[in-house]
């Protein structure tokens, strides 16, 4: 198995040295180790940013004037409700708004208009000034504008959209910053394990935020979602100062043969933007996120308007798919690194296999969900299976940046996530435009579009994805990375 470079004679001579370094890393203890401590810290960081990101999806259900929406939400093809509508709610003080479906789509997608702006700059700034403080600043900015959300909503939809854009700008630096940190911290044969531990925080943030937001809406009102989450998550804006400042002293040894280290100096932009392996990741990332963001932003709406669940039931059931996603993400990370480390499967084979499972599987079950009718148990089961299978992609294309160019992992993630943010911007708008009557037939179209994009992305990545460090990502003392 070759995880480190091109198939040259020099590369073959270097493999024993690299293997020796990896053996030393594998002998390092897991419990109490700095790299696994960082994995838990980064997981908590992603827990925070995702809990702040998804709460609007639940709040939106309660922010709308139910009388104004009733004609659209109770057409003949919408399922019977699963709760007693005469049951009183405890909340009756928060404002409600007469936003049409187009406005709702723009509000739900506005976060990503800010998120896309700081992807590439986030990767560059993390490499130049350090990822720890950048991530802390991003979380702090997100917290501040989360607290301002209720005020902005009262001022008007335009102000709310502006606040969500600012939240996206803050949160946009977090993933590039973390990839830059892992480029220095993660040994090649532990990348899947460490990265999936980090990613589980995002899923857990969704799992906790969705049902808790539903309970807050019921017992208080929707404004408290943003006040409670904003204040609780504010303590995480100060990134842990105990994180070691020079991780490269530990991990750099396993890369020392080719001097694969993070660089804030020379960046081979031309080689990066013309790289086919990077293009493969871009297409896969874009395709996967179309399905992911469709569910993330619109699943609570589907649960309420189509399947007929109350706000309390809505939050819990909307969270179920992400429980499965978190579990399979961690399991896939362990299995992927086992296949590479013990079974000597080539990195590219492992990445493509997990990407296929994580993209084709969700596509199939998402389409099937559209044909479950009002069988809500089957619908929830298919949603859960679809999202769970998507978790395996965390060990596929999602961390392939570290395989092909660990020196520039943060910048590469910024590039791919820039394109992968587009589905979050346009997906909700398109879906809302296609589901103005909230019929099963309209939602089937939404699911078909997402599945077709997912299928295309998986095929493209299988054709052009690679698992080896690219020549332009290899540094030498004389060429300074050229």
């Amino acid at each position: 198995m070759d995880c480190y470079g091109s198939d040259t004679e020099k590369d073959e001579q270097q493999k024993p040295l690299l293997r020796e370094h990896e053996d030393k890393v594998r002998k390092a203890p897991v419990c109490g180790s700095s790299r696994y401590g960082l994995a838990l810290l980064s997981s908590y960081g992603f827990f925070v940013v995702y809990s702040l990101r998804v709460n609007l999806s639940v709040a939106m259900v309660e922010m709308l004037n139910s009388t104004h929406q009733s004609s659209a939400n109770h057409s003949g093809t919408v399922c019977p409700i699963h709760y007693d509508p005469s049951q009183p709610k405890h909340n009756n003080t928060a404002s409600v708004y007469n936003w049409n479906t187009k406005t709702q789509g723009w509000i739900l997608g506005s976060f990503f208009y800010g998120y896309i702006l700081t992807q590439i700059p986030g990767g560059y700034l993390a490499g130049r000034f350090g990822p720890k403080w950048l991530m802390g600043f991003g979380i702090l900015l997100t917290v501040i504008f989360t607290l301002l959300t209720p005020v902005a909503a009262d001022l008007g939809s335009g102000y709310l959209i502006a606040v969500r854009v600012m939240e996206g700008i803050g949160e946009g630096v977090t993933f590039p910053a973390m990839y830059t940190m892992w480029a220095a911290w993660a040994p090649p044969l532990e990348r899947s394990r460490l990265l999936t531990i980090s990613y589980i925080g995002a899923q857990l943030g969704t799992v906790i935020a969705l049902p808790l937001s539903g309970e807050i809406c019921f017992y208080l009102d929707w404004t408290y979602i943003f006040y409670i989450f904003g204040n609780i998550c504010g303590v995480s804006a100060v990134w842990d100062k105990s994180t070691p400042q020079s991780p490269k002293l530990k991990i750099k040894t396993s890369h020392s043969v080719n001097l694969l280290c993070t660089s804030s100096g020379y960046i081979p932009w031309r080689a990066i933007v013309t790289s086919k392996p990077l293009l493969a990741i871009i297409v896969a990332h874009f395709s996967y996120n179309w399905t992911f963001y469709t569910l993330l932003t619109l699943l609570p709406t589907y649960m309420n308007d189509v399947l007929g669940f109350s706000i309390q039931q809505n939050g819990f059931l909307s969270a179920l798919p992400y429980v499965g996603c978190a579990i399979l993400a961690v399991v896939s990370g362990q299995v992927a690194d086992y296949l590479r480390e013990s079974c000597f499967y080539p990195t590219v084979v492992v990445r493509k296999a997990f990407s296929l499972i994580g993209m084709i599987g969700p596509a199939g079950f998402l389409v099937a969900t559209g044909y479950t009718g009002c069988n809500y148990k089957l619908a929830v089961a298919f949603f859960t299976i679809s999202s769970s299978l998507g978790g395996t992609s965390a060990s596929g294309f999602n961390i392939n940046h570290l395989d092909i160019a660990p020196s520039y992992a943060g910048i590469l993630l910024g590039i791919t996530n820039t394109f992968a943010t587009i589905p979050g911007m346009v997906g909700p708008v398109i879906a809302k435009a296609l589901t103005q009557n909230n019929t099963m037939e309209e939602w089937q179209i939404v699911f078909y579009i997402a599945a077709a994009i997912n299928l295309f992305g998986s095929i493209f990545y299988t054709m052009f994805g690679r698992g080896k460090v690219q020549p332009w990502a290899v540094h030498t003392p004389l060429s300074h990375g050229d």
Side-chain angles (χ1 to χ4, degrees), residues 58 207 210-212 214 310-320:
V58 175
V207 167
L210 289 177
L212 185 56
S310 70
I311 190 65
Q312 285 182 295
Q313 298 167 322
N314 195 332
F316 174 74
L317 293 174
S318 295
L320 279 180

Side-chain angles (χ1 to χ4, degrees), residues 18 23 29 42 57-58 74 89 100 179 189-190 198 235 237 245 251 266 311 328 367 370 381 451 457 460 475:
L18 290 167
D23 288 339
S42 60
S57 299
V58 175
H74 297 286
K89 292 183 180 179
N100 58 32
Y179 269 67
L189 294 182
E190 289 188 12
S198 295
V235 298
Q245 293 291 325
I251 303 302
Y266 177 81
I311 190 65
L328 258 69
V367 170
F460 193 94
H475 294 265

Side-chain angles (χ1 to χ4, degrees), residues 73-418:
N73 289 349
H74 297 286
S75 63
T77 58
V78 175
C79 303
I81 58 176
H82 298 283
Y83 64 98
D84 182 3
S86 63
Q87 181 182 3
K89 292 183 180 179
H90 293 260
N91 62 311
N92 52 17
T93 59
S95 301
V96 293
Y97 312 99
N98 296 327
W99 294 328
N100 58 32
T101 55
K102 182 178 180 181
T103 302
Q104 294 170 42
W106 283 109
I107 292 172
L108 289 172
S110 58
F111 169 92
F112 300 100
Y113 284 87
Y115 190 71
I116 197 173
L117 295 177
T118 48
Q119 293 300 312
I120 297 176
Y124 174 78
L125 293 173
R128 188 168 182 82
F129 301 108
K132 182 175 68 172
W133 300 109
L134 182 64
M135 187 166 185
F137 172 77
I139 295 175
L140 176 61
L141 193 64
T142 306
V143 167
I144 291 172
F145 284 98
T146 295
L147 293 170
L148 293 175
T149 299
V151 176
D154 277 339
L155 292 174
S157 59
Y159 289 93
L160 178 56
I161 289 173
V163 164
R164 291 292 291 179
V165 169
M166 293 303 299
E167 285 186 50
I169 288 175
E171 195 169 317
V173 303
T174 54
F175 275 93
M178 187 49 57
Y179 269 67
T180 300
M181 192 174 289
W182 279 126
W185 272 97
L189 294 182
E190 289 188 12
R191 286 172 182 160
S192 301
R193 294 188 183 100
L194 293 169
L195 265 292
T196 51
I197 291 174
S198 295
Y199 272 126
I200 194 177
Q203 307 303 330
L204 291 178
T206 306
V207 167
I208 299 298
L210 289 177
L212 185 56
S213 296
E215 293 297 325
I216 293 172
C217 275
F218 184 83
Y219 288 105
L220 299 171
D221 62 55
W222 65 263
T223 62
Y224 284 91
I225 292 178
F226 303 100
Y227 294 140
I228 291 174
F229 277 101
N231 281 286
I232 292 176
C233 294
V235 298
S236 302
V238 181
W239 194 238
D240 188 8
K241 294 183 180 180
S242 64
T243 303
Q245 293 291 325
S246 301
K248 287 182 282 188
L249 296 176
K250 292 184 177 182
I251 303 302
K252 186 178 176 181
T253 55
S254 66
H255 294 156
S256 59
V257 178
N258 285 328
L259 299 181
L260 300 180
C261 59
T262 55
S263 172
S264 59
Y266 177 81
I267 300 173
W269 289 108
R270 180 185 294 273
I272 289 175
V273 299
T274 57
S275 171
K276 285 186 178 179
L278 178 61
L279 178 61
I281 301 175
I282 290 173
V283 174
H285 204 168
F286 175 94
S287 303
Y288 173 82
N289 272 17
W290 190 284
T291 298
F292 179 78
Y293 285 142
T294 296
L295 292 181
L296 190 68
T297 57
L298 296 176
L299 186 55
T301 299
Y302 184 86
M303 291 287 187
N304 180 78
D305 295 348
V306 178
L307 296 183
F309 289 108
S310 70
I311 190 65
Q312 285 182 295
Q313 298 167 322
N314 195 332
F316 174 74
L317 293 174
S318 295
L320 279 180
Y322 301 101
V323 175
C325 185
I327 294 173
L328 258 69
V330 173
V331 171
S332 70
Q334 301 296 318
V335 174
D337 279 349
Y338 173 79
L339 292 175
R340 298 168 63 227
E341 179 181 345
S342 301
C343 301
F344 302 103
Y345 278 88
T347 298
V348 66
V349 173
V350 174
R351 299 293 182 235
K352 290 181 179 180
F354 280 83
S355 295
L356 286 171
I357 296 172
M359 297 179 74
I360 294 179
F365 280 97
L366 190 61
V367 170
T369 303
Y371 292 93
T372 57
C374 290
N375 187 337
Y376 67 94
K377 292 182 180 178
L378 194 58
V380 172
F382 281 179
F383 273 133
T384 302
I385 295 173
S386 176
S387 183
S388 298
L389 290 175
T392 62
S393 66
S395 296
F397 72 86
N398 230 338
I399 61 173
N400 197 206
H401 316 71
L402 287 166
D403 298 321
I404 67 171
S407 306
Y408 307 106
I411 292 176
L412 263 59
L413 188 278
I415 294 172
T416 66
N417 218 16
T418 295

Side-chain angles (χ1 to χ4, degrees), residues 2-74:
D2 183 4
C3 307
Y4 311 99
S6 59
D7 296 324
T8 62
E9 182 178 351
K10 181 179 178 181
D11 228 21
E12 294 297 327
Q13 294 172 352
Q14 292 170 354
K15 284 183 184 179
L17 293 174
L18 290 167
R19 287 294 181 191
E20 181 181 351
H21 288 306
E22 290 302 330
D23 288 339
K24 292 179 180 179
V25 173
R26 283 196 294 270
K27 293 176 182 177
V30 172
C31 294
S33 67
S34 295
R35 65 191 188 280
Y36 277 88
L38 177 61
L40 294 176
L41 276 174
S42 60
S43 181
Y44 180 65
F46 289 137
F47 172 90
V48 169
V49 295
Y50 261 75
S51 64
L52 296 176
R53 180 190 298 196
V54 305
N55 49 25
L56 180 64
S57 299
V58 175
M60 180 64 77
V61 176
E62 291 295 294
M63 293 169 74
L64 301 176
N65 188 330
S66 58
T67 303
H68 178 76
Q69 299 291 323
S70 60
S71 60
N73 289 349
H74 297 286

